[in-house]
Amino acid sequence: MSIANGLTVAKFGGTSVADYDAMHRCADIIINNPATKVVVVSASSGVTNKLVALTQATTTSEQSKLLIKQIASIQYQILDRLGHPSEVAAKIDAVISHISVLAERLVLSRSKAVMDEMLSQGEMCSSVFFAAVLREKGAAAAAFDVRQVMRTDSHHGRAEPQIESIAQLAEEHLAPLLSSQVIVTQGFIGADEEGATTTLGRGGSDYSAALLAEALRATAVEIWTDVAGIYTTDPRLAPNAKPIAEISFNEAAEMATFGAKVLHPATILPAVRQKIQVFVGSSWTPEQGGTWIRHQVSDEPVYRAVAVRRDQTLLNLHSLQMLHAQGFLAQTFATLAKHKISVDLITTSEVNVALTLDKTGSDSSGHGLLSESLLQELSQHCRVRVEDGLALVAVIGNRIASTAGVCRRVFEVLEPHNVRMICQGASPHNLCVLVEEAQAADVIRALHENLFES
Ligand code: ASP
Ligand code: MG
């Protein structure tokens, strides 16, 4: 069957589906836009963190019991407000007992597949609830198990979506349902070829929404969160930060990577591939509007925003082998790739390479960034120094590398700060400096003032 034109996929983050009242507000957003046929939800806020805690080896059985009780209490409060419809109650009861079973299984074997199954339970609940809230408001809506279409590889904790299979499966199983109702489905989770549950990495629901939009050839993805779109910087750091009405994919990709957590970095990829416009807004104040991210925008200023990414690790590799030699970088990157480490920034000198890594690139459980075995492997061919507690501050905009005077305006306010690393030139859309975490807020305020307020 052909897929409806003008389809919108709307995604609601954890705080937007935190409880019954929040879901109610979000349901109005869906009902007010007849183009929205697919809703993607995160787990109610806090639930995924508790599920992660349940998968951790250090969690005692006492703690497990308490965590399960807390998760159940979040779910049963929503169920109570819904007035206990029996089919919803049955599904939620089943999820809660499944969580207990999975917790016991993890005691016996710390299987990554079981961990992913555990992590997926929050979205299983919120999607069932959200569909019920829509029905309560008179809309035709049903919950849909995204694992029927969100095909991934078997890399548990950070599975790779398989774009072509997803498109095929969505055409077959999802598209036919959309003519008569709104479908509510889970973000963050998928399934491999064998049907085992996988997850796309923490915060992956935005990515899920964009992947489904791509598969269904939707024209828009809406990301509803608790901030009213993208700002020139985090308003909590600089009170004069201004909302941005429209921004290009290229700038948004930089923003997402360095982002004020507005958008999961990978979200933008499917949208760019299919030129799907992305909206980011607050589900608390939908009337305020938000930011549209588009392929083409009317205005491309040199300075668009200042963003920060905390929790950076700097890996410094030193080796005399590098001197007038070939292949050192190839070997280093092969090792990093083997350990699934994604590298962000790089600077090199004749005998040193400095790389920044960040936790966003680690898996759902937060493990595995710099494992012992990786460090050992690297140490075999160079001296390795690891520095933590750093933050990357990025000036984002257009023509940055080709506009005279940018460096002066950036560095004149950085004088009092120790800049650990500078990256500029690879992208026309950013200039990054690595500073100590403790100085990040001051650096951002100073840059914002100089670039946007003067
Ligand atoms: N619930 C998942 C998480 O907390 C996915 C998401 O919220 O996007 O990471
Ligand atoms: Mg979230």
Side-chain angles (χ1 to χ4, degrees):
M1 85 153 252
S2 77
I3 295 161
N5 236 354
L7 177 75
T8 293
V9 174
K11 177 259 171 177
F12 294 92
T15 52
S16 298
V17 295
D19 52 32
Y20 177 81
D21 291 324
M23 288 191 192
H24 235 258
R25 252 194 329 269
C26 297
D28 287 332
I29 295 175
I30 299 304
I31 290 167
N32 289 338
N33 181 0
T36 308
K37 290 291 186 187
V38 178
V39 176
V40 174
V41 289
S42 289
S44 299
S45 121
V47 171
T48 310
N49 286 347
K50 293 188 195 305
L51 292 167
V52 170
L54 275 174
T55 66
Q56 237 103 83
T58 49
T59 304
T60 64
S61 75
E62 279 307 301
Q63 288 166 330
S64 282
K65 276 192 204 119
L66 183 64
L67 285 163
I68 295 172
K69 231 170 129 178
Q70 290 167 341
I71 293 167
S73 145
I74 295 173
Q75 310 305 344
Y76 287 128
Q77 273 175 36
I78 304 174
L79 192 62
D80 283 346
R81 294 286 303 281
L82 265 172
H84 269 269
S86 56
E87 83 287 18
V88 175
K91 282 187 188 148
I92 300 303
D93 286 341
V95 172
I96 301 296
S97 43
H98 193 43
I99 291 174
S100 299
V101 171
L102 293 171
E104 276 160 35
R105 262 204 249 160
L106 282 170
V107 175
L108 302 175
S109 133
R110 307 203 37 72
S111 135
K112 287 218 153 197
V114 178
M115 290 187 195
D116 265 355
E117 176 75 17
M118 178 71 100
L119 296 189
S120 72
Q121 300 307 309
E123 272 76 6
M124 295 315 288
C125 291
S126 57
S127 53
V128 167
F129 283 138
F130 199 96
V133 171
L134 278 169
R135 287 195 298 270
E136 198 185 54
K137 284 178 167 276
F144 175 83
D145 189 333
V146 82
R147 291 172 294 190
Q148 287 187 56
V149 300
M150 189 59 70
R151 177 66 57 79
T152 70
D153 66 8
S154 304
H155 186 73
H156 288 286
R158 195 174 179 76
E160 199 58 54
Q162 296 180 339
I163 311 300
E164 271 165 36
S165 306
I166 296 168
Q168 249 167 38
L169 292 166
E171 176 89 38
E172 197 178 326
H173 300 292
L174 187 51
L177 305 176
L178 304 181
S179 54
S180 55
Q181 66 203 322
V182 175
I183 288 297
V184 183
T185 195
Q186 306 81 30
F188 178 53
I189 74 175
D192 68 9
E193 215 172 344
E194 266 73 61
T197 302
T198 55
T199 58
L200 306 181
R202 290 305 305 271
S205 295
D206 294 353
Y207 191 24
S208 301
L211 287 164
L212 290 175
E214 177 180 37
L216 294 166
R217 281 165 276 141
T219 48
V221 184
E222 295 174 352
I223 306 289
W224 292 99
T225 163
D226 49 10
V227 291
I230 300 175
Y231 279 67
T232 49
T233 198
D234 185 341
R236 284 166 304 189
L237 296 177
N240 291 327
K242 291 187 254 323
I244 300 169
E246 198 192 40
I247 185 171
S248 70
F249 279 135
N250 284 330
E251 296 166 287
E254 303 288 343
M255 289 293 293
T257 313
F258 293 100
K261 286 205 185 146
V262 182
L263 215 54
H264 185 278
T267 312
I268 215 78
L269 299 173
V272 171
R273 284 195 291 259
Q274 292 295 320
K275 299 198 172 126
I276 303 168
Q277 51 180 351
V278 180
F279 172 84
V280 182
S282 165
S283 68
W284 306 78
T285 53
E287 69 291 343
Q288 251 187 46
T291 305
W292 277 103
I293 306 165
R294 296 194 165 108
H295 188 64
Q296 237 145 21
V297 294
S298 48
D299 178 32
E300 295 191 331
V302 175
Y303 304 112
R304 179 72 87 182
V306 181
V308 63
R309 197 155 59 164
R310 297 175 191 280
D311 242 337
Q312 299 296 299
T313 302
L314 182 67
L315 199 59
N316 202 302
L317 310 177
H318 170 87
S319 166
L320 290 176
Q321 272 176 40
M322 248 185 277
L323 208 59
H324 308 300
Q326 301 88 36
F328 178 82
L329 284 178
Q331 191 181 3
T332 303
F333 282 103
T335 306
L336 292 167
K338 194 178 110 193
H339 289 263
K340 298 235 170 222
I341 295 288
S342 121
V343 172
D344 293 320
L345 301 187
I346 310 167
T347 59
T348 62
S349 77
E350 191 55 44
V351 290
N352 284 285
V353 190
L355 313 160
T356 66
L357 317 170
D358 118 341
K359 294 216 168 78
T360 328
S362 57
D363 67 11
S364 292
S365 61
H367 288 315
L369 189 57
L370 283 179
S371 62
E372 269 311 304
S373 62
L374 166 63
L375 291 174
Q376 248 167 33
E377 224 167 294
L378 287 172
S379 303
Q380 276 162 17
H381 64 278
C382 57
R383 202 183 68 213
V384 182
R385 216 177 58 226
V386 181
E387 236 177 282
D388 281 316
L390 297 165
L392 258 184
V393 177
V395 174
I396 290 157
N398 298 281
R399 305 173 302 281
I400 290 202
S402 57
T403 304
V406 169
C407 287
R408 181 186 55 78
R409 286 192 69 184
V410 169
F411 290 107
E412 68 190 359
V413 294
L414 294 184
E415 211 192 304
H417 303 286
N418 174 22
V419 176
R420 283 291 292 109
M421 180 168 163
I422 301 165
C423 266
Q424 193 253 355
S427 157
H429 300 291
N430 78 37
L431 185 164
C432 305
V433 292
L434 192 67
V435 296
E436 271 165 38
E437 179 93 52
Q439 302 191 347
D442 286 341
V443 167
I444 288 163
R445 264 191 294 274
L447 282 172
H448 192 269
E449 212 182 289
N450 203 31
L451 304 179
F452 294 91
E453 299 172 40
S454 58

